[in-house]
Amino acid sequence: MAVDFGKTPDAVLALPTRERLKRIKKGERDDPDLIETYFQYGRYLLVASSRPGTFPANLQGLWNPHEKAPWGSDYHLNINIQMNYWPAETTHLGEMHEPFFDLIRYFQPTGKAMAEKLGMKGWCMGHATDIWGHARIMSPRAYWGGSFFGGQWMTFHILEHYRFNRDKAFLEKNWDLLTASTAFAESWLIPDSETGKLISRPSCSPENRFSYGKEDGTTGKAALSAGNTFDQYMILQVFNDYLEAAKALGKEADPFVKKIEETLPKVQRPQIGEDGRLQEWRLPFGEPEPGHRHMSHVIGAYPGNQINLDRDPAMRDAVLKSIEFRLASGGAGTGWSRAWTIGMFARFSDAERAYENLLAILRKSTFDNLWDRHPPFQIDGNFGSTAAIAEMLMHSHNDEIKLLPALPADWKDGSVRGVRARGDFTVDIEWAGGKLKRAIIHGGKNSMGRISVSYGDAKHIVHVDPGGSAELSLADF
């Protein structure tokens, strides 16, 4: 894979990395080559810390210099390890995803024991674990430890890997993991006493809390409730992924698949609040931390796909208002949180705000060696930013390839080669003067064959045989 975001002056190229980064922190915007390096550095870090046959990248990748590391140099399952693998598919490093899938299987015995202790079926994990695979509530405070869907978030990646390579053998191999994950989610649901819809209970929004009015007129703060948005989108994603996998493998008649199909419409969907934002909790609670670093309630939009940003304008606006509110309240203060913000604006095809947040992570959350500063060092911000840059250049959601959906004005001329799209396609794009010049869609051995390709408001249906390619130019749109 290769990227070119434009020309950096020779005098700037001659400077050491730390001096070039210092220039960006002072407000300079004339060094696209450094952003190319930052992007490829993220890919390098994944290659170096997640080889097939090894354990996957943890909070510090594998670059932990401490005997007593921050957070034990462990696996946090409520965003961090997942973000580590967001760039694996789009940036053409699908094989580096394998240790992540191996870890899911490695966690099965302890995770099944945890589910059983909770009185549930299937498999689950808490918000954090380690190389020994401990599966338990890892904190006495619900604020930290009241997460029960860390394992389910991990299984998102199984379907994502399949969507990019359409390898049914891989899906069959991991069917038991999907089934165990789905069984837990199904058994965790209870009916809402008011609506009759199925909700998650108990339920937390990772590492966040809410305020509520007490009977004595004072205000209380809590983390545990029922049916929060994060949990509801998590369950909807798990169920829909399971049904998608069943259809691909011809397992629609399986009794448990039929049960999930019947249960899915009964699951309560998250709501839009009176202020137009996506509600983080089932009830309109107050927010003691309005600029909270986690944005877990937007998981249905990114990295999940339960909110259709192309076809659901009301929910799209609600998600956008939620992110804007977080930022206006001082959010994105950590590297990984800022990386998630870049990715969200890229998904919204908002080029300038995606780019401004990309510059913000370089200015505020990046060390001289280009490592992500949490603080302290935490590698997920590197990986999340790398994935977000790929998302700025191409989308492949909803059976459609979108070319240059969030191309910033500063990248006037450039190219990308080898970015991966869902449906088993690889895409090369060139642009000049801020406009598409040409794109080549390459079909893999399992490619869908027919794909809608869009640029701006125009669309073009392309037929690409497995192993073949199709070339498009600006004139085609």
Side-chain angles (χ1 to χ4, degrees):
M1 186 175 187
V3 292
D4 177 4
F5 298 145
K7 175 66 176 172
T8 292
D10 290 341
V12 176
L13 286 173
L15 297 172
T17 299
R18 65 180 180 275
E19 295 300 325
R20 294 168 67 182
L21 185 61
K22 189 180 296 182
R23 293 181 73 255
I24 288 180
K25 291 180 178 181
K26 289 180 178 178
E28 298 293 343
R29 300 164 64 115
D30 61 348
D31 194 356
D33 182 83
L34 185 63
I35 297 178
E36 295 167 22
T37 299
Y38 181 70
F39 173 81
Q40 294 286 23
Y41 184 53
R43 297 180 71 239
Y44 157 76
L45 292 171
L46 188 60
V47 171
S49 62
S50 188
R51 300 289 181 92
T54 68
F55 275 93
N58 61 23
L59 285 176
Q60 285 80 33
L62 49 71
W63 294 276
N64 164 46
H66 307 287
E67 183 177 347
K68 294 184 177 180
W71 306 283
S73 194
D74 66 13
Y75 295 117
H76 267 54
L77 310 183
N78 61 1
I79 178 60
N80 310 98
I81 191 172
Q82 291 89 349
M83 184 178 284
N84 284 1
Y85 288 86
W86 287 1
E89 301 300 331
T90 51
T91 74
H92 220 135
L93 295 175
E95 63 270 43
M96 304 309 161
H97 222 154
E98 291 177 16
F100 187 89
F101 306 128
D102 292 342
L103 193 72
I104 299 174
R105 189 164 297 282
Y106 176 70
F107 286 166
Q108 289 299 296
T110 54
K112 288 179 178 178
M114 178 176 174
E116 185 177 358
K117 289 176 182 177
L118 290 168
M120 300 293 130
K121 302 173 185 176
W123 168 81
C124 70
M125 301 292 288
H127 88 284
T129 185
D130 53 30
I131 201 170
W132 289 273
H134 293 302
R136 60 175 184 261
I137 297 170
M138 299 288 281
S139 170
R141 291 184 61 199
Y143 180 88
W144 305 103
S147 293
F148 304 92
F149 285 93
Q152 279 58 45
W153 197 343
M154 292 180 76
T155 59
F156 281 23
H157 288 245
I158 294 174
L159 262 291
E160 273 295 83
H161 186 66
Y162 168 75
R163 292 178 187 120
F164 279 89
N165 61 32
R166 293 173 57 81
D167 181 359
K168 292 184 180 180
F170 167 80
L171 212 53
E172 184 69 58
K173 176 184 174 182
N174 291 289
W175 177 253
D176 61 323
L177 304 183
L178 294 170
T179 300
S181 178
T182 305
F184 177 80
E186 187 273 332
S187 64
W188 191 257
L189 290 167
I190 65 166
D192 182 348
S193 60
E194 295 180 4
T195 67
K197 288 285 191 177
L198 297 175
I199 59 173
S200 168
R201 178 177 176 184
S203 179
C204 280
S205 197
E207 300 183 25
N208 203 357
R209 56 185 173 166
F210 57 87
S211 60
Y212 64 98
K214 301 170 74 172
E215 291 183 358
D216 63 4
T218 62
T219 299
K221 295 178 182 178
L224 275 176
S225 61
N228 76 60
T229 296
F230 171 76
D231 279 17
Q232 296 304 120
Y233 275 134
M234 185 72 66
I235 292 165
L236 289 166
Q237 187 77 50
V238 167
F239 282 8
N240 279 297
D241 283 358
Y242 193 58
L243 296 177
E244 181 181 338
K247 184 177 180 180
L249 296 175
K251 296 180 182 287
E252 295 100 321
D254 182 282
F256 186 60
V257 171
K258 299 293 286 185
K259 183 178 183 180
I260 296 304
E261 190 175 36
E262 293 167 2
T263 304
L264 181 60
K266 302 174 186 177
V267 178
Q268 184 162 296
R269 298 194 68 89
Q271 302 297 308
I272 299 173
E274 290 185 1
D275 61 1
R277 288 186 290 146
L278 177 63
Q279 238 171 237
E280 187 163 1
W281 291 275
R282 182 174 57 92
L283 301 175
F285 294 129
E287 298 174 79
E289 301 178 66
H292 197 268
R293 59 196 174 278
H294 282 259
M295 299 185 292
S296 305
H297 56 308
V298 305
I299 190 174
Y302 182 84
N305 62 9
Q306 296 307 292
I307 298 173
N308 193 321
L309 295 177
D310 297 325
R311 299 166 194 163
D312 189 344
M315 193 58 78
R316 176 190 174 95
D317 288 347
V319 172
L320 181 58
K321 286 178 181 177
S322 294
I323 297 166
E324 290 173 337
F325 180 83
R326 275 285 204 273
L327 293 176
S329 303
T334 63
W336 60 262
S337 183
R338 181 71 65 178
W340 199 346
T341 304
I342 305 165
M344 281 303 312
F345 281 124
R347 276 291 288 121
F348 280 115
S349 301
D350 190 330
E352 294 315 310
R353 284 202 282 187
Y355 185 56
E356 285 301 327
N357 279 279
L358 176 57
L359 293 176
I361 200 169
L362 292 170
R363 289 168 178 160
K364 299 178 181 179
S365 299
T366 302
F367 288 114
D368 286 348
N369 67 345
L370 300 185
W371 265 350
D372 174 65
R373 184 169 66 88
H374 176 275
F377 164 54
Q378 200 168 292
I379 204 167
D380 37 27
N382 285 104
F383 293 137
S385 297
T386 298
I389 292 170
E391 198 74 19
M392 292 168 72
L393 301 173
M394 188 193 71
H395 293 172
S396 64
H397 310 274
N398 299 325
D399 295 327
E400 180 180 25
I401 292 173
K402 290 186 178 182
L403 304 173
L404 307 177
L407 183 71
D410 279 5
W411 300 348
K412 186 177 179 181
D413 305 305
S415 64
V416 56
R417 184 180 74 245
V419 65
R420 290 281 289 160
R422 294 168 183 83
D424 194 15
F425 296 105
T426 303
V427 182
D428 305 333
I429 312 171
E430 294 179 35
W431 63 92
K435 294 183 178 181
L436 175 71
K437 185 176 180 181
R438 69 169 186 159
I440 303 175
I441 316 297
H442 304 277
K445 64 179 181 179
N446 300 316
S447 75
M448 293 170 57
R450 181 180 182 276
I451 187 72
S452 172
V453 181
S454 69
Y455 175 66
D457 295 327
K459 295 185 180 182
H460 191 96
I461 302 299
V462 175
H463 295 268
V464 184
D465 294 328
S469 62
E471 183 170 336
L472 300 169
S473 69
L474 183 59
D476 291 304
F477 299 97

